[in-house]
Amino acid sequence: MTHRVNFKAIMADIRHYRRAYILTGIASFGGMLFGWDTGMIGGILTLPAFQKSFVLNKKSKDFSNLQGNIVSVLQAGCFFGAMFSFIVSDKFGRRTALLIADAIFIIGSVLQVCSGLHTTSLSLLYVGRAIGGFGVGLISAVVPSYVGENANKEIRGRCIGTMQLFNVTGIMLSYFVNYGISSHTSLGTLQWRIPFALQMLPGVLLFIGLLFQNESPRWLVEKNNIPEARRALSHVRAKSEDDPILLQELQEIIENFRGHERLSLMQQLRIVASSKSISYRFGMAIILMFWQQWTGTNSINYYSPQIFQSIGLTSTSAGLFATGIYGVVKVVCTALGLAFATEQLGRKWSLIIGGAGQAFAMYSIGIQGAVAPKGLTDSSYYAIFCVYIFVVFYSFGWGPIPFVLSAECAPNHVRSLVLAVALMTQWLFNFIIAKITPIMLADITYGTYLLFGSCCVLMVVYTVLCVPETKNVPLESIHLLFEGHVIRGPTRDTFPSKARSKSLQAHSHVKERNEVVPKIGDTSSQHVEDTRV
């Protein structure tokens, strides 16, 4: 009977928030773009057809460095895409920024497919990956803003984290495409061109789907376009424009932006620098993205076939198949985490449990590599099992949650700036990890996993001391979690019964202020001077 009730509750939840879920699903195809490339490129590098097309010798001492260059040039493009996301999304809107970025990504993908035609030079491949990366980086910084600014507070964490679900789905699909195509040697260069071409499919779906979605109501309020913001909020909430609850939510958004409309880059930087609370939130977003990359997840994502070979699966097809199963586990665990952990267990404990499990898995793999003999042995099977254990814990913690916290903790009026810098950090260290992983695997071997395991321990300590719990807190009230002592408050949130978020779930930003707010629809009084940060 319990299962029947839960199923009905899930269906009721989907019906009630259907517009927000649809918007989330469409926007999250942006996550699939970089997920597809993440899972695809490692497998392509192992294909003899690819190596033949560009006259690459895998036995050469420079091959590991060349692998790192091919993989990491996309991350370099992503870094600059994230950098420019602030300008594009702030000027043109979140939805339009995604359309522009998607078009750039598709152009880059076409260039990658066309590389190696009548030449053995990697130049066009590098250019295509840099351009495609620019689009991916821009998308990765805008999707959390777009989704977070549209989603209801009850499902906001789940919705923002859905981008990570689509990311790992793209990784999984590309793994199996690589596995399926690896045996078709008769295809020649099509063996590696087809995976590059297929990555454009989610880009096309993203572009078409966005044409039918609304702009972010919070961005519209920031630009002082209140009537259009009301229409956008009405659309995504599936309520009439005169609904009292919708009008109350819109009023709170307007109140939060009072005096902060149309801020320039320098004004936003001054706000971040002048407020202890906002500086804390700004820094936390950067640190979370830094730690996410040092979990070691992308070392497995990019080079999993090579990692499985180092553990004992020497066959290329066996390594690719094991990688495909890794992708399936990642998708299933991310979906379960978003459904049953992000909103129920909470952001903070998802990170703590996830980090502890990751540390155990990485230490186990490293110790196996240090003491076990070469080849496929019983201990090798245990190490392979630990790779899957790692992804179970990563998928509900450090995979989606840094995106969730970065998007929802950033103040409305500087969110695009905070996410731009946070995603620049993510892509910078994504680039570094992609570049150094093959070198570390070749030089320090098992020490690679011990390093990542130690980082996982440190990120758990950081979470306990510095990360607040934000589940179910309205966006316009989250700033209250960052006031007061920067360690005492988050440490208190570690204990669910004492978590501050419980007292803020029904908090109204409008009620905390004594002044009279302008009536919605009264455009003559929408611009009120206010120096509050």
Side-chain angles (χ1 to χ4, degrees):
M1 180 64 69
T2 301
H3 293 294
R4 290 172 60 86
V5 172
N6 287 340
F7 179 75
K8 289 180 179 179
I10 291 171
M11 295 308 296
D13 177 88
I14 293 173
R15 283 195 301 270
H16 185 69
Y17 302 117
R18 60 191 181 279
R19 294 276 183 86
Y21 281 132
I22 290 171
L23 180 145
T24 296
I26 291 171
S28 294
F29 273 111
M32 191 175 288
L33 301 183
F34 59 90
W36 188 285
D37 186 90
T38 298
M40 168 192 68
I41 193 62
I44 284 181
L45 292 174
T46 66
L47 295 176
F50 179 82
Q51 295 169 9
K52 182 180 178 181
S53 294
F54 298 100
V55 195
L56 305 177
N57 181 7
K58 65 179 181 181
K59 296 182 179 179
S60 169
K61 64 178 182 179
D62 296 325
F63 185 66
S64 293
N65 186 56
L66 189 62
Q67 278 184 307
N69 290 339
I70 294 172
V71 172
S72 59
V73 69
L74 182 124
Q75 280 69 47
C78 289
F79 174 84
F80 290 102
M83 178 187 295
F84 281 92
S85 67
F86 164 76
I87 299 172
V88 179
S89 68
D90 195 58
K91 182 174 180 61
F92 300 105
R94 319 302 194 215
R95 174 176 166 272
T96 304
L98 289 174
L99 290 169
I100 293 170
D102 193 27
I104 294 172
F105 167 78
I106 291 174
I107 292 171
S109 298
V110 170
L111 294 178
Q112 291 175 72
V113 173
C114 295
S115 62
L117 291 174
H118 310 298
T119 181
T120 59
S121 172
L122 288 165
S123 299
L124 188 60
L125 180 64
Y126 284 138
V127 171
R129 288 182 63 74
I131 292 174
F134 186 93
V136 168
L138 207 166
I139 288 171
S140 69
V142 177
V143 168
S145 288
Y146 182 59
V147 172
E149 291 174 356
N150 274 286
N152 308 67
K153 66 181 177 66
E154 294 82 2
I155 59 170
R156 188 179 62 237
R158 184 180 302 139
C159 287
I160 298 173
T162 299
M163 184 178 78
Q164 177 67 10
L165 174 61
F166 275 64
N167 176 22
V168 298
T169 301
I171 293 173
M172 178 195 70
L173 292 174
S174 64
Y175 282 161
F176 280 109
V177 168
N178 282 342
Y179 173 71
I181 208 129
S182 63
S183 60
H184 293 78
T185 55
S186 61
L187 290 173
T189 63
L190 288 177
Q191 191 182 31
W192 59 267
R193 294 187 197 277
I194 289 174
F196 275 128
L198 287 176
Q199 72 178 346
M200 287 185 278
L201 180 59
V204 172
L205 294 175
L206 173 64
F207 195 94
I208 294 173
L210 283 173
L211 295 176
F212 301 96
Q213 297 305 308
N214 57 273
E215 181 53 84
S216 161
R218 286 174 170 84
W219 179 82
L220 291 167
V221 169
E222 181 187 4
K223 301 307 176 186
N224 208 28
N225 190 346
I226 306 303
E228 191 60 37
R230 181 166 51 194
R231 280 191 289 272
L233 197 61
S234 171
H235 177 269
V236 76
R237 296 290 182 268
K239 297 175 187 259
S240 72
E241 293 186 22
D242 297 324
D243 182 86
I245 296 176
L246 181 139
L247 293 177
Q248 171 70 13
E249 181 179 2
L250 180 59
Q251 194 76 7
E252 292 181 6
I253 296 171
I254 294 172
E255 185 70 2
N256 186 260
F257 272 108
R258 282 159 61 95
H260 295 136
E261 303 92 338
R262 301 177 183 274
L263 296 177
S264 67
L265 173 60
M266 292 308 300
Q267 287 175 313
Q268 293 192 38
L269 288 172
R270 279 196 293 270
I271 287 176
V272 170
S274 62
S275 168
K276 176 183 175 182
S277 171
I278 297 179
S279 295
Y280 179 12
R281 295 150 83 178
F282 182 79
M284 189 186 78
I286 294 172
I287 294 170
L288 287 172
M289 290 301 179
F290 168 84
W291 282 130
Q292 185 196 53
Q293 293 309 301
W294 282 100
T295 59
T297 181
N298 279 320
S299 67
I300 299 177
N301 290 338
Y302 291 126
Y303 302 105
S304 47
Q306 296 91 319
I307 288 173
F308 281 118
Q309 287 176 17
S310 72
I311 292 173
L313 292 177
T314 55
S315 164
T316 298
S317 61
L320 288 174
F321 183 73
T323 299
I325 299 301
Y326 173 85
V328 173
V329 174
K330 201 167 191 177
V331 170
V332 172
C333 292
T334 301
L336 292 175
L338 291 173
F340 302 110
T342 304
E343 302 296 353
Q344 292 86 345
L345 185 61
R347 285 59 154 157
K348 190 179 183 80
W349 270 101
S350 293
L351 292 178
I352 293 171
I353 296 173
Q358 291 164 190
F360 169 80
M362 282 294 186
Y363 279 138
S364 297
I365 297 170
I367 292 171
Q368 186 274 341
V371 302
K374 297 288 185 180
L376 197 58
T377 62
D378 290 341
S379 62
S380 297
Y381 286 116
Y382 175 70
I384 293 169
F385 174 71
C386 285
V387 171
Y388 296 122
I389 289 294
F390 171 86
V391 76
V392 168
F393 284 98
Y394 175 83
S395 295
F396 72 82
W398 286 91
I401 301 301
F403 292 103
V404 174
L405 286 171
S406 297
E408 64 185 8
C409 290
N412 282 330
H413 46 284
V414 294
R415 180 169 292 112
S416 56
L417 173 64
V418 171
L419 281 174
V421 178
L423 268 296
M424 284 168 62
T425 303
Q426 191 225 28
W427 287 115
L428 173 63
F429 286 97
N430 194 316
F431 170 87
I432 292 172
I433 296 297
K435 181 69 175 171
I436 68 175
T437 292
I439 300 172
M440 288 196 300
L441 288 173
D443 293 345
I444 65 173
T445 59
Y446 64 85
T448 305
Y449 308 106
L450 300 179
L451 172 63
F452 288 135
S454 299
C455 288
C456 290
V457 172
L458 292 175
M459 63 187 72
V460 169
V461 174
Y462 172 77
T463 301
V464 171
L465 297 178
C466 301
V467 177
E469 179 56 72
T470 61
K471 69 174 183 178
N472 285 335
V473 179
L475 281 180
E476 283 68 40
S477 301
I478 281 180
H479 69 279
L480 297 173
L481 294 170
F482 294 87
E483 296 177 356
H485 200 281
V486 296
I487 292 180
R488 188 180 300 122
T491 302
R492 172 186 168 187
D493 290 344
T494 306
F495 305 95
S497 62
K498 298 181 179 180
R500 296 167 298 163
S501 59
K502 296 176 69 174
S503 63
L504 294 176
Q505 290 177 8
H507 183 269
S508 170
H509 184 75
V510 169
K511 292 177 182 177
E512 80 173 23
R513 300 190 51 159
N514 295 324
E515 58 199 282
V516 178
V517 296
K519 182 179 179 181
I520 297 173
D522 180 9
T523 57
S524 64
S525 59
Q526 285 164 0
H527 235 58
V528 180
E529 290 301 322
D530 188 352
T531 58
R532 179 181 55 87
V533 173

